[in-house]
Amino acid sequence: HVCLLKLLLEQLMSNSLPVDKYPAMGPAAANSSKSEAKSVRKFGTASKFGKKDNVQLSGVRYMVFVAGGVAYPELRAGYELMQKESKEVIIGGSHLINPDTYLVDVGALNSGR
């Protein structure tokens, strides 16, 4: 099983995601020579917390927010693409969905809560 978010992220990274269906917020990414903020995840820190991954990330940062919640397989897909493409992927959502909360939410549909 490949989650839809992984397919969408792959399209986003290859610049083939349809903009009419998935508009971006803010201006399009442009190559600029001005100084930009540096990510701790890209450049590390001197603390013990900056030594988690040994992957050098480059280029733009991809941020995705999933309204309605995000599940663990979607987070894993983002992590795998980040490792594969060496691009920073940040995924967030309105809440985290696990199998138990999913079943509770489905049960609430039948009870009219």
Side-chain angles (χ1 to χ4, degrees):
H1 166 50
V2 177
C3 66
L4 178 62
L5 184 60
K6 182 172 185 173
L7 300 174
L8 292 174
L9 279 171
E10 287 173 342
Q11 287 179 347
L12 178 64
M13 289 180 172
S14 66
N15 290 326
S16 61
L17 188 68
V19 181
D20 57 333
K21 291 183 179 180
Y22 303 98
M25 292 179 58
N31 294 336
S32 65
S33 60
K34 70 178 187 173
S35 162
E36 296 177 353
K38 296 189 183 209
S39 170
V40 173
R41 294 180 75 185
K42 277 187 187 181
F43 300 100
T45 65
S47 74
K48 64 180 178 181
F49 302 109
K51 299 175 184 173
K52 182 178 176 188
D53 291 331
N54 227 0
V55 176
Q56 285 291 76
L57 303 174
S58 63
V60 298
R61 181 179 292 149
Y62 297 98
M63 298 177 74
V64 177
F65 182 84
V66 181
V70 63
Y72 293 110
E74 294 165 331
L75 296 174
R76 178 70 183 180
Y79 174 78
E80 289 171 354
L81 283 173
M82 188 167 68
Q83 298 296 315
K84 177 182 164 193
E85 302 288 335
S86 297
K87 305 282 186 193
E88 191 169 13
V89 177
I90 301 168
I91 300 176
S94 54
H95 61 282
L96 206 61
I97 301 172
N98 62 33
D100 293 334
T101 58
Y102 176 76
L103 291 175
V104 168
D105 290 344
V106 169
L109 292 174
N110 290 333
S111 66
R113 287 190 228 166

